[in-house]
PDB file of all heavy atoms in Angstrom:
ATOM      1  N   LYS Y  66     206.476  84.511 -97.161  1.00 49.00           N
ATOM      2  CA  LYS Y  66     205.439  85.469 -96.785  1.00 49.00           C
ATOM      3  C   LYS Y  66     205.967  86.893 -96.903  1.00 49.00           C
ATOM      4  O   LYS Y  66     207.097  87.169 -96.543  1.00 49.00           O
ATOM      5  CB  LYS Y  66     204.990  85.217 -95.343  1.00 49.00           C
ATOM      6  CG  LYS Y  66     204.212  83.935 -95.159  1.00 49.00           C
ATOM      7  CD  LYS Y  66     203.865  83.691 -93.715  1.00 49.00           C
ATOM      8  CE  LYS Y  66     202.882  84.713 -93.216  1.00 49.00           C
ATOM      9  NZ  LYS Y  66     202.494  84.534 -91.826  1.00 49.00           N
ATOM     10  N   LYS Y  67     205.114  87.780 -97.395  1.00 42.00           N
ATOM     11  CA  LYS Y  67     205.512  89.182 -97.522  1.00 42.00           C
ATOM     12  C   LYS Y  67     205.050  90.015 -96.327  1.00 42.00           C
ATOM     13  O   LYS Y  67     205.556  91.096 -96.100  1.00 42.00           O
ATOM     14  CB  LYS Y  67     204.956  89.772 -98.810  1.00 42.00           C
ATOM     15  CG  LYS Y  67     205.582  89.148-100.038  1.00 42.00           C
ATOM     16  CD  LYS Y  67     205.074  89.777-101.286  1.00 42.00           C
ATOM     17  CE  LYS Y  67     205.735  89.080-102.480  1.00 42.00           C
ATOM     18  NZ  LYS Y  67     205.338  89.631-103.739  1.00 42.00           N
ATOM     19  N   VAL Y  68     204.055  89.518 -95.614  1.00 42.00           N
ATOM     20  CA  VAL Y  68     203.558  90.233 -94.444  1.00 42.00           C
ATOM     21  C   VAL Y  68     203.484  89.280 -93.264  1.00 42.00           C
ATOM     22  O   VAL Y  68     203.384  88.066 -93.428  1.00 42.00           O
ATOM     23  CB  VAL Y  68     202.158  90.855 -94.695  1.00 42.00           C
ATOM     24  CG1 VAL Y  68     202.238  91.931 -95.749  1.00 42.00           C
ATOM     25  CG2 VAL Y  68     201.141  89.814 -95.061  1.00 42.00           C
ATOM     26  N   GLY Y  69     203.531  89.849 -92.089  1.00 53.00           N
ATOM     27  CA  GLY Y  69     203.401  89.070 -90.861  1.00 53.00           C
ATOM     28  C   GLY Y  69     202.447  89.798 -89.937  1.00 53.00           C
ATOM     29  O   GLY Y  69     202.849  90.704 -89.218  1.00 53.00           O
ATOM     30  N   LEU Y  70     201.188  89.432 -89.970  1.00 69.00           N
ATOM     31  CA  LEU Y  70     200.166  90.188 -89.252  1.00 69.00           C
ATOM     32  C   LEU Y  70     199.918  89.715 -87.823  1.00 69.00           C
ATOM     33  O   LEU Y  70     199.301  90.426 -87.043  1.00 69.00           O
ATOM     34  CB  LEU Y  70     198.844  90.138 -90.032  1.00 69.00           C
ATOM     35  CG  LEU Y  70     198.886  90.772 -91.420  1.00 69.00           C
ATOM     36  CD1 LEU Y  70     197.555  90.560 -92.125  1.00 69.00           C
ATOM     37  CD2 LEU Y  70     199.214  92.241 -91.333  1.00 69.00           C
ATOM     38  N   GLY Y  71     200.387  88.527 -87.457  1.00 83.00           N
ATOM     39  CA  GLY Y  71     200.069  87.960 -86.151  1.00 83.00           C
ATOM     40  C   GLY Y  71     200.460  88.828 -84.966  1.00 83.00           C
ATOM     41  O   GLY Y  71     199.616  89.229 -84.168  1.00 83.00           O
ATOM     42  N   LEU Y  72     201.730  89.130 -84.841  1.00 90.00           N
ATOM     43  CA  LEU Y  72     202.186  89.945 -83.704  1.00 90.00           C
ATOM     44  C   LEU Y  72     201.656  91.376 -83.758  1.00 90.00           C
ATOM     45  O   LEU Y  72     201.232  91.905 -82.719  1.00 90.00           O
ATOM     46  CB  LEU Y  72     203.712  89.928 -83.611  1.00 90.00           C
ATOM     47  CG  LEU Y  72     204.303  88.626 -83.077  1.00 90.00           C
ATOM     48  CD1 LEU Y  72     205.821  88.614 -83.229  1.00 90.00           C
ATOM     49  CD2 LEU Y  72     203.910  88.394 -81.629  1.00 90.00           C
ATOM     50  N   PRO Y  73     201.648  92.040 -84.932  1.00 87.00           N
ATOM     51  CA  PRO Y  73     201.081  93.386 -84.970  1.00 87.00           C
ATOM     52  C   PRO Y  73     199.606  93.424 -84.548  1.00 87.00           C
ATOM     53  O   PRO Y  73     199.181  94.337 -83.840  1.00 87.00           O
ATOM     54  CB  PRO Y  73     201.245  93.812 -86.430  1.00 87.00           C
ATOM     55  CG  PRO Y  73     202.383  93.006 -86.936  1.00 87.00           C
ATOM     56  CD  PRO Y  73     202.292  91.694 -86.206  1.00 87.00           C
ATOM     57  N   MET Y  74     198.843  92.419 -84.964  1.00 92.00           N
ATOM     58  CA  MET Y  74     197.428  92.384 -84.579  1.00 92.00           C
ATOM     59  C   MET Y  74     197.271  92.150 -83.081  1.00 92.00           C
ATOM     60  O   MET Y  74     196.415  92.759 -82.432  1.00 92.00           O
ATOM     61  CB  MET Y  74     196.695  91.304 -85.369  1.00 92.00           C
ATOM     62  CG  MET Y  74     196.457  91.674 -86.815  1.00 92.00           C
ATOM     63  SD  MET Y  74     195.741  90.344 -87.805  1.00 92.00           S
ATOM     64  CE  MET Y  74     194.249  89.957 -86.934  1.00 92.00           C
ATOM     65  N   PHE Y  75     198.108  91.271 -82.531  1.00 95.00           N
ATOM     66  CA  PHE Y  75     198.040  91.000 -81.092  1.00 95.00           C
ATOM     67  C   PHE Y  75     198.442  92.246 -80.303  1.00 95.00           C
ATOM     68  O   PHE Y  75     197.824  92.579 -79.291  1.00 95.00           O
ATOM     69  CB  PHE Y  75     198.926  89.809 -80.753  1.00 95.00           C
ATOM     70  CG  PHE Y  75     198.622  89.163 -79.426  1.00 95.00           C
ATOM     71  CD1 PHE Y  75     197.398  89.318 -78.798  1.00 95.00           C
ATOM     72  CD2 PHE Y  75     199.570  88.364 -78.811  1.00 95.00           C
ATOM     73  CE1 PHE Y  75     197.121  88.706 -77.582  1.00 95.00           C
ATOM     74  CE2 PHE Y  75     199.313  87.747 -77.599  1.00 95.00           C
ATOM     75  CZ  PHE Y  75     198.089  87.922 -76.978  1.00 95.00           C
TER      76      PHE Y  75
END
Side-chain angles (χ1 to χ4, degrees):
K66 290 177 67 180
K67 293 183 181 181
V68 295
L70 298 176
L72 286 171
M74 286 174 57
F75 198 21

